Amino acid sequence: MESSVCRTAASFHTPTHAWNDYLADSRVAPLAGHPRLMAVGGGYPIIDNDRCVGGLGISGGTHEQDQQAAEEALAALGFELPAH
């Protein structure tokens, strides 16, 4: 099963926690209600050789814990974290 944070990260090639800042912009804010957009920590795109090859979604803790777990998982697997 695909998680919302995983899908958001892979679809937009950006970590899901970055959406909190994006949604503060009134021009982007209407996307907050989109059912396929999840603006919480824990979702990261999986980037390999500058290509998005998938997404990683972690949930179950606080958004900070989920974000940290995702970052550690990507690092353990040898993937770089996106610059967002």
Side-chain angles (χ1 to χ4, degrees):
M1 176 159 48
E2 181 180 5
S3 75
S4 296
V5 291
C6 178
R7 184 178 335 121
T8 299
S11 295
F12 295 99
H13 302 187
T14 192
T16 53
H17 66 272
W19 279 96
N20 290 308
D21 290 335
Y22 299 156
L23 294 173
D25 181 335
S26 62
R27 296 171 296 172
V28 180
L31 288 175
H34 193 285
R36 295 183 68 103
L37 177 70
M38 189 61 87
V40 297
Y44 275 90
I46 300 173
I47 307 295
D48 187 31
N49 292 319
D50 295 325
R51 273 187 69 218
C52 182
V53 296
L56 172 69
I58 304 287
S59 63
T62 66
H63 67 276
E64 292 97 353
Q65 291 169 330
D66 294 344
Q67 183 178 337
Q68 182 179 3
E71 290 172 358
E72 290 178 13
L74 287 173
L77 294 170
F79 292 105
E80 291 185 30
L81 294 178
H84 300 281

